[in-house]
Amino acid sequence: MAMTETRPAPQAAAATAGAPADRAGLAGWLSTSDHKRIGRLYIATALLFLLVGGVIGELLAVERVSNGFDVLTAGSFAQAYTFHGEVALWLFLVPLLLGIATFIVPLQVGSPEIAFPRGSATAYWSYVVSGGLLIGAYLANGGPSGGQPAAVDLHLLALAGLTVATLLGLVSVLTTALTMRAGGMALGDVPAFTWSVVVGGSLTLLTAPVLLARLAILYVTHHFGGSYDLNDYGAIGWMFSVPQVYLVAVPAAGVALEIVPVVSGRKLRRRGASMVIIGLLGVVGLGAWAQVPSSFDDFLYVAIGLAAIVPPLALLGLLADSLRNGRPAPRAALLLAMGSVLLLLAGAAVGALSVIDGLDLRGTVWEAAQVHLVLTGAAWLGALAAIWWWAPKLYGVVLSEAAGALAFVTTFVGTLVLAAPDLVNGMANDVPLRATHFGSSGARALNAVSAIGGGLVALGAVVVVLSLLAAGLRKGQRAEADPWGGHTLEWSTTSPPPPSNFSAPVPPVTSPTPLLDEVDA
Amino acid sequence: MTAVLELPAPPLPERRNVMLVGTMLVIVAGVTLFGGLLAAYFSARNATVHAGGTWAPEAGTLPNAALAITYSALFLSSFTAQWAVSAIKANERRQAYVAVGVTLMLGAAFINGLSFCWGQLHLVAGADNYASYVYAISAVHLFVVVAAMLLFVVMGFRVFGGQFHARNAEFVASATAFWHFAVVAGIAVWWCLWFLAGGPTS
């Protein structure tokens, strides 16, 4: 009698022990601790909140076209202004990027699951609940200077909840990247996107608790009868302005560094330099110290403002070098990624001008233009590039190239049209931030152009949502495991990946581009 | 006839201290949390003093003796927490029970002591800048101590369940590291908020 002894593969064992298949249906989604499902939930929820933020943004834009108030009141205008910023950052962009990272990082490092999967699920649900509470607080007149004290308290608690949720989600992703890499994969060998998440996530871990500290003090002060108005809002407003917003754009740089070499069909030259550039971009985004107006005169603030232009410029040079030396295929993801880096460079250039004392641009709508270039432009386009690039893994389909190109054109052009009028108004007309009265008809006309830009960005968002809805319903070209000829581990598994991520053991990894090495061998 | 027998699955690649690294990341975030709180405190104090106002209550009005005892209890708990790790690493289960129990008791004593001190302050948050900062910072620290105690409660149950031993003490090391962080943060809070503001030497 012949006897064969077989040993099940480690990954198969992980499928039963570490990453059990979720229950089917709604209960499965509600109770999931699978990082892939959590990542998809993050993306879907962030896009829902985008709808809220977009509507508020357009209301503000329409209000700025006329002199005085047509739709909102003076009080609600101020609250809508802060609400728009909070939604854009804490309810939309940060969770969107965190969701993409939650999905992609374990796959890129060859791990069968995410570290602390229940922690990651808790982070997601805390985000949903806190986001709902934030909207409820504003609806109940609870923003800064709000008329309902209990709702104002709720607003501060909701922001604190969102901060804690983000930190918890980041700890899961960072621990995965630091401790659960495939055998042989050094930290310096992780893919560019994972590295950008490590940099951006670590630095957010260093700065977001400072926001939490400020929220705790504001909460105690207000809860026991002290004031909390727009002047006090400066204590937390730094999170939504320069230089802190550069941190949100760090993963976008990582996405571009993933896409360009693959689309060009060549390994990225000067990989070490690209890692350093991502690190520098993160360092200039450390903005927790710039909380009070006196810090805007500091040498450090000016130096960082001017230095911020260097990392995006160097990044653009590296990417252009890759494109020049390769044979780039015209893909939507490439357009989106390059658009993201270009707008990041534009945002940094605008920021560099804003710290020059003699120009007197601080406190004007010039700053709003810069934030729009960095967030609506660089970060949002970077997230779209990631979604188009990793859609085969996210949804098992290849998203429409035409829809991607349309999303690029509307978002890229829309962001420029949205920001350019504010640049002119800030430079030539000295229009202050949160201005509600515009004496000059020229300023009002520019505001109208800006509103059209916002509309274009919204149109791009509609295209994205429709594309993702179709992908969620699995309508589209079914994706093979590696439709792009990718270089990194996530392309070695099926699209979408199985519950345990890899159906076979991941062999030891000895370079940053393991799949390319396999082809070369 | 061919029979196929399945052997147990080979071990997965060894993970590199997932729990410990996760805890360290949380501690790093905690350090910047307290850094932010204390920076805001000193910034507000400077602003008040430069504007000609008074910051802390006059010397002698703070319950210094009660505060010293309260924070001493917390300081001592660091030693008993470390005793728990040593006991588990030496496979001394009975000592581990005692160490976890004493650590939790000292944590509870700290909470009790701090609530007593709050009652003795007679300061109203919101009306007084110093009071707002003191209550906010010490309350955040209280949350951290409670979180550390919850970790120790979980650890205590798992010690009772016999889950930890000399070669499987990562959770214990992580929980203890967080406890030490809570103690160090407590000492920083005591020094900045109480000792410098109106302690026996001021």
Side-chain angles (χ1 to χ4, degrees):
Chain A
M1 184 179 84
M3 187 177 287
T4 310
E5 291 180 341
T6 64
R7 190 187 285 277
Q11 301 301 333
T16 53
D22 277 317
R23 283 186 287 172
L26 185 64
W29 283 95
L30 293 176
S31 62
T32 188
S33 58
D34 174 7
H35 72 95
K36 297 179 289 296
R37 282 191 159 190
I38 295 169
R40 290 185 195 115
L41 284 170
Y42 263 119
I43 293 170
T45 315
L47 290 173
L48 268 179
F49 283 127
L50 166 66
L51 186 70
V52 179
V55 169
I56 296 294
E58 275 306 292
L59 267 179
L60 286 168
V62 168
E63 198 62 88
R64 292 169 70 225
V65 174
S66 61
N67 197 16
F69 296 103
D70 297 323
V71 188
L72 302 166
T73 62
S76 59
F77 182 88
Q79 293 206 17
Y81 202 97
T82 54
F83 182 56
H84 176 61
E86 288 165 11
V87 171
L89 192 72
W90 267 159
L91 295 190
F92 168 52
L93 277 171
V94 170
L96 180 67
L97 291 166
L98 182 57
I100 294 169
T102 299
F103 191 103
I104 295 298
V105 168
L107 292 168
Q108 284 204 321
V109 300
S111 170
E113 59 179 347
I114 197 166
F116 312 120
R118 278 175 289 184
S120 184
T122 306
Y124 168 73
W125 289 109
S126 304
Y127 151 61
V128 173
V129 172
S130 303
L133 290 177
L134 185 75
I135 294 172
Y138 270 102
L139 287 175
N141 190 15
S145 305
Q148 289 292 334
V152 175
D153 282 350
L154 185 62
H155 164 245
L156 293 166
L157 285 176
L159 278 179
L162 286 166
T163 311
V164 171
T166 303
L167 289 171
L168 194 54
L170 279 175
V171 167
S172 279
V173 175
L174 288 175
T175 309
T176 307
L178 293 176
T179 65
M180 296 172 74
R181 299 188 302 277
M185 184 188 276
L187 188 59
D189 288 343
V190 297
F193 177 68
T194 295
W195 176 248
S196 70
V197 170
V198 168
V199 169
S202 307
L203 296 175
T204 304
L205 210 65
L206 290 176
T207 47
V210 179
L211 175 70
L212 203 55
R214 281 300 196 170
L215 289 168
I217 292 165
L218 283 175
Y219 176 81
V220 170
T221 305
H222 180 265
H223 184 74
F224 291 99
S227 74
Y228 169 50
D229 54 27
L230 280 172
N231 291 329
D232 301 310
Y233 194 75
I236 52 177
W238 57 271
M239 198 72 192
F240 315 102
S241 58
V242 172
Q244 185 70 24
V245 287
Y246 287 133
L247 262 190
V248 187
V250 172
V255 172
L257 283 164
E258 290 282 346
I259 294 171
V260 169
V262 176
V263 170
S264 304
R266 299 182 75 93
K267 235 183 229 185
L268 183 72
R269 295 198 301 177
R270 302 184 186 89
R271 189 187 132 80
S274 71
M275 297 290 162
V276 172
I277 289 169
I278 289 177
L280 287 175
L281 189 58
V283 169
V284 297
L286 275 173
W289 56 275
Q291 294 186 26
V292 287
S294 60
S295 57
F296 304 144
D297 299 326
D298 286 353
F299 170 75
L300 185 63
Y301 186 82
V302 176
I304 285 181
L306 295 172
I309 202 167
V310 176
L313 198 59
L315 179 67
L316 194 63
L318 266 181
L319 296 174
D321 179 60
S322 262
L323 290 171
R324 191 168 57 86
N325 288 302
R327 292 178 302 281
R331 299 225 175 263
L334 177 65
L335 284 176
L336 292 160
M338 291 308 291
S340 159
V341 176
L342 283 171
L343 290 181
L344 178 60
L345 181 61
V350 167
L353 287 174
S354 73
V355 298
I356 297 173
D357 209 23
L359 295 177
D360 288 331
L361 296 169
R362 284 214 58 82
T364 70
V365 286
W366 179 276
E367 286 183 39
Q370 193 201 6
V371 171
H372 279 138
L373 285 169
V374 176
L375 294 184
T376 314
W380 173 222
L381 274 178
L384 289 184
I387 289 170
W388 248 261
W389 186 245
W390 283 301
K393 300 298 162 195
L394 284 161
Y395 305 107
V397 298
V398 176
L399 292 178
S400 155
E401 287 289 313
L406 184 60
F408 163 73
V409 170
T410 49
T411 311
F412 187 82
V413 175
T415 304
L416 290 175
V417 176
L418 173 71
D422 277 345
L423 292 176
V424 178
N425 267 339
M427 176 79 88
N429 300 332
D430 290 333
V431 174
L433 273 174
R434 301 193 191 108
T436 52
H437 289 78
F438 302 90
S440 132
S441 60
R444 289 201 297 274
L446 284 169
N447 285 346
V449 176
S450 189
I452 293 169
L456 274 175
V457 174
L459 181 66
V462 170
V463 171
V464 172
V465 169
L466 290 177
S467 298
L468 292 185
L469 275 177
L473 298 170
R474 300 288 161 88
K475 287 181 179 168
Q477 183 193 336
R478 284 302 178 102
E480 51 195 273
D482 185 7
W484 317 124
H487 299 170
T488 42
L489 283 179
E490 75 271 25
W491 302 109
S492 68
T493 188
T494 54
S495 298
S500 57
N501 287 351
F502 299 92
S503 50
V506 176
V509 175
T510 52
S511 93
T513 52
L515 300 199
L516 202 59
D517 297 344
E518 252 178 38
V519 173
D520 291 346
Chain B
M1 179 188 158
T2 301
V4 178
L5 298 179
E6 281 217 338
L7 295 173
L12 287 166
E14 197 176 332
R15 292 176 173 186
R16 285 155 276 193
N17 300 322
V18 175
M19 185 75 192
L20 199 56
V21 169
T23 307
M24 288 304 158
L25 290 173
V26 172
I27 289 174
V28 167
V31 168
T32 55
L33 171 67
F34 282 99
L37 284 166
L38 295 175
Y41 171 86
F42 285 115
S43 177
R45 187 184 74 162
N46 281 354
T48 306
V49 171
H50 280 294
T54 52
W55 179 244
E58 287 180 11
T61 57
L62 290 181
N64 287 312
L67 282 166
I69 292 167
T70 299
Y71 281 90
S72 297
L74 188 67
F75 178 64
L76 286 176
S77 70
S78 223
F79 294 96
T80 56
Q82 195 57 40
W83 176 25
V85 180
S86 306
I88 288 164
K89 284 189 174 169
N91 287 326
E92 294 278 358
R93 295 267 299 273
R94 197 168 295 177
Q95 278 196 37
Y97 301 151
V98 176
V100 170
V102 173
T103 306
L104 286 171
M105 274 178 56
L106 288 169
F110 170 76
I111 294 171
N112 181 49
L114 188 63
S115 59
F116 172 77
C117 293
W118 278 348
Q120 297 294 304
L121 276 177
H122 305 299
L123 294 173
V124 181
D128 179 273
N129 226 1
Y130 170 74
S132 294
Y133 278 84
V134 160
Y135 285 125
I137 295 171
S138 52
V140 169
H141 179 243
L142 190 69
F143 276 119
V144 171
V145 172
V146 169
M149 287 178 71
L150 287 175
L151 271 178
F152 255 64
V153 168
V154 173
M155 183 176 116
F157 277 116
R158 291 175 70 170
V159 169
F160 274 116
Q163 288 188 22
F164 300 127
H165 49 79
R167 283 176 298 167
N168 178 25
E170 193 191 347
F171 184 91
V172 179
S174 304
T176 308
F178 190 74
W179 192 281
H180 290 321
F181 159 67
V183 171
V184 171
I187 291 168
V189 166
W190 172 75
W191 181 265
C192 296
L193 262 60
W194 309 111
F195 193 77
L196 292 181
T201 58
S202 64

